[in-house]
Amino acid sequence: MSTINFKGKSLIQNHHLTVKHHQLIPKKDKSLTKKVSLEDNLIIHGDNLKALKALLPTYTNKVKCIYIDPPYNTGNEKWVYNDNVSHPMFKDWLGKIVDNEDMTRHDKWLCMMTPRLKLLRELLRDDGVIFISIDDNEQHRLRELMDEIFGQENFITNIIWQKKYSPQNDARYFSDMHDFLLVYAKKKNMNGETNGWERNLLPRNEE
């Protein structure tokens, strides 16, 4: 299987294991129920890596469907690399805006995504599935990273969705009309049979 290489890859592989477990602290003044628990629908405000680690004790292998919308890394989003990895290179990256002038922006994006995808995979049930919104800037890199973490045999499809219906007259080359939704199962096939993840189609309304 082909692999993707990027700056910091060897250093980030086990970072998700070093992230400390954080307790989720309910905010009663923001809750719609009298008793707040992990069994309720939750909105978590905070660092998403820490939040995912905090969910592991309760939700490991229990989540049926995950949807994430990570930074597209267009160079204009001004997202910040915030993972405090114990290495001088990452210390230099820490807290700095990732923009078009950053020659390592793709490396930083892949280093940011790797530990999160590994934790998300742990949360999924064996028949679970993950959907990831992305565009042309990182779609091909994300596909290779997902092949490594989830396994290329668990690739379901790459959905193309039309985000614009009118061509851009000022487009330099081609009008940017579509984005993508990358879909992977945790276990597409189990025990050699196709009894892993599968679509549940709505019944046809025959008249």
Side-chain angles (χ1 to χ4, degrees), residues 11-22:
L11 303 169
I12 203 71
Q13 289 302 308
N14 295 316
H15 179 58
H16 65 293
L17 301 175
T18 67
V19 178
K20 294 181 179 179
H21 283 281
H22 289 261

Side-chain angles (χ1 to χ4, degrees), residues 1-180:
M1 185 182 76
S2 62
T3 59
I4 183 170
N5 291 314
F6 51 91
K7 189 175 183 179
K9 180 179 180 179
S10 62
L11 303 169
I12 203 71
Q13 289 302 308
N14 295 316
H15 179 58
H16 65 293
L17 301 175
T18 67
V19 178
K20 294 181 179 179
H21 283 281
H22 289 261
Q23 182 180 2
L24 294 177
I25 302 175
K27 298 289 185 180
K28 293 183 179 180
D29 59 322
K30 298 183 182 297
S31 176
L32 297 178
T33 59
K34 293 182 179 180
K35 184 180 179 181
V36 181
S37 73
L38 290 177
E39 305 303 321
D40 296 322
N41 294 319
L42 301 175
I43 296 177
I44 302 173
H45 182 230
D47 183 281
N48 53 26
L49 187 60
K50 294 178 181 178
L52 290 172
K53 196 65 178 279
L55 290 172
L56 280 184
T58 305
Y59 292 107
T60 295
N61 296 323
K62 292 184 179 180
V63 179
K64 176 77 176 192
C65 181
I66 292 173
Y67 168 76
I68 62 172
D69 185 18
Y72 285 8
N73 208 21
T74 62
N76 299 315
E77 297 159 305
K78 296 185 178 180
W79 67 277
V80 175
Y81 188 87
N82 280 328
D83 291 350
N84 192 12
V85 183
S86 181
H87 187 276
M89 183 186 74
F90 289 93
K91 299 295 183 184
D92 185 58
W93 288 2
L94 192 63
K96 293 183 179 178
I97 292 176
V98 181
D99 58 22
N100 271 322
E101 302 300 319
D102 191 337
M103 300 299 292
T104 61
R105 67 185 176 98
H106 299 296
D107 302 283
K108 290 177 180 176
W109 189 86
L110 289 163
C111 284
M112 179 272 292
M113 290 295 294
T114 296
R116 288 158 177 81
L117 290 172
K118 289 189 173 186
L119 291 177
L120 287 165
R121 187 182 183 281
E122 289 188 41
L123 290 171
L124 276 180
R125 291 175 10 174
D126 285 347
D127 60 348
V129 65
I130 183 170
F131 296 80
I132 308 175
S133 287
I134 202 67
D135 75 353
D136 276 323
N137 286 281
E138 298 292 358
Q139 186 267 145
H140 54 301
R141 296 182 185 88
L142 178 61
R143 174 77 184 270
E144 289 189 327
L145 185 62
M146 289 295 290
D147 280 350
E148 285 194 16
I149 295 175
F150 279 73
Q152 62 181 5
E153 70 278 6
N154 291 312
F155 169 72
I156 300 294
T157 192
N158 187 26
I159 300 170
I160 300 173
W161 66 275
Q162 188 171 354
K163 64 179 180 180
K164 297 176 185 176
Y165 292 90
S166 298
Q168 295 173 265
N169 294 326
D170 60 346
R172 184 176 180 183
Y173 300 110
F174 290 90
S175 185
D176 182 16
M177 305 291 288
H178 301 88
D179 279 350
F180 306 93

